[in-house]
Amino acid sequence: MNPASVPSSPIPVLSEDKVPLVTGEEPIRHIFIKAGCVVCHEIPGIPEAKGRVGPPLVLGHTGEQRLRDPAYHGRARTVHEYVIESVLEPDLFVVAGYPSRTMPAWYGSKLSALALEKIAHYLEQQTGDAG
Ligand code: HEC
């Protein structure tokens, strides 16, 4: 038995058919849980969000840096737009140090416009300071 031959899968797989439609009427915490963001991300103020696959979602702190990054070629002009773009087209810009093609690319069919607005509104305010 060679233990190295046992496949290990450290990256959680979130399958599209397990994620329900998110209308945006839910409280913000439930939006993040229902959509499965908590599996891969740490999100201030959301106790369930302890994932380490993607970066901590502190866009109030990191958002402007992303927009100024020479490697960023997206269309967003504000942090709010950047959050929505990152959710709908995760591989448009891959945060350095994190895996590409890992965040689901199908959120456009699961999240209503209202849910996206609430997600962006919440995340653009998170700085990660003092919780
Ligand atoms: C299966 C893991 C996974 C899930 C589920 C997931 N993400 Fe991600 N996410 C990632 C990874 C990995 C990255 C970094 C690579 C990249 O930029 O695409 C990322 C990047 C991001 C970014 C850019 C962060 C930054 O600092 O610039 C945002 C915003 C984001 N995710 C939001 C979300 C939201 C909101 C949800 C739920 C609707 C979600 N993610 C679900 C893995 C995931």
Side-chain angles (χ1 to χ4, degrees):
M1 259 291 271
N2 173 7
S5 68
V6 177
S8 70
S9 170
I11 293 177
V13 177
L14 195 67
S15 92
E16 182 171 3
D17 52 334
K18 297 272 163 36
V19 174
L21 285 175
V22 180
T23 66
E25 300 296 337
E26 306 88 342
I28 188 70
R29 185 173 144 254
H30 292 173
I31 292 178
F32 288 126
I33 294 171
K34 256 177 117 173
C37 321
V38 300
V39 173
C40 292
H41 290 285
E42 236 178 289
I43 307 172
I46 311 294
E48 291 82 358
K50 293 278 173 244
R52 295 288 167 94
V53 178
L57 297 181
V58 289
L59 279 302
H61 179 65
T62 52
E64 292 292 342
Q65 292 169 232
R66 306 288 188 245
L67 293 171
R68 283 197 305 265
D69 192 317
Y72 176 71
H73 298 296
R75 293 172 301 277
R77 291 292 169 264
T78 63
V79 174
H80 190 91
E81 289 172 0
Y82 172 75
V83 173
I84 293 178
E85 186 183 74
S86 298
V87 175
L88 296 180
E89 298 174 77
D91 285 316
L92 197 60
F93 173 74
V94 176
V95 179
Y98 291 91
S100 64
R101 304 180 61 84
T102 300
M103 177 157 161
W106 38 253
Y107 276 126
S109 64
K110 294 292 180 179
L111 303 174
S112 71
L114 179 62
L116 281 168
E117 277 302 310
K118 285 189 172 176
I119 287 171
H121 180 74
Y122 185 86
L123 294 182
E124 70 183 325
Q125 297 181 64
Q126 303 310 313
T127 60
D129 302 333

